[in-house]
Amino acid sequence: MDLLRHPDRPVMHLVGELDITALPVLRRAVDAALAAQPATLEVDVAALTFCDSSGLQGLLQVQHAADQNGAALRLTHVQGQLHRVLRLTRLEAAFDIAPAATT
């Protein structure tokens, strides 16, 4: 996971698999990002290749942590397997998902 700082918000880039083994790293990255008290925390999932139920729970925990810190959470580049899982579990409505870019 990479945490990049933009002038107006931190952007976390999730790479690879989001499962139970990745959750401690995710939590540390979220804590670091929210320490600066941003208005918005952006999570770019373009390079996420796998997300299981533990990963979904982790994303919900990120959403909760952002809410508790007065920040908005925004998922960007939601596609492929993660998009299907969010749609099938009806969790799309739980997140602010940036619309896909049109070409």
Side-chain angles (χ1 to χ4, degrees):
M1 257 163 260
D2 293 325
L3 177 60
L4 302 176
R5 303 236 183 253
H6 290 262
D8 59 339
R9 72 199 180 289
V11 178
M12 291 176 45
H13 293 268
L14 303 186
V15 178
E17 298 183 354
L18 185 56
D19 57 16
I20 196 164
T21 62
L23 294 185
V25 175
L26 177 64
R27 286 187 191 113
R28 284 192 300 274
V30 168
D31 289 345
L34 293 175
Q37 299 180 335
T40 301
L41 172 59
E42 185 175 311
V43 179
D44 183 335
V45 296
L48 200 62
T49 58
F50 176 80
C51 181
D52 65 6
S53 60
S54 295
L56 288 178
Q57 182 178 2
L59 290 175
L60 289 168
Q61 289 171 348
V62 171
Q63 174 74 349
H64 180 72
D67 286 344
Q68 294 290 60
N69 284 277
L73 174 70
R74 180 161 227 206
L75 299 180
T76 62
H77 303 108
V78 177
Q79 58 193 353
Q81 190 257 351
L82 179 60
H83 182 255
R84 285 189 300 278
V85 169
L86 289 173
R87 189 178 66 245
L88 289 171
T89 58
R90 298 184 180 176
L91 285 174
E92 283 177 310
F95 297 102
D96 175 13
I97 299 175
T102 57
T103 55

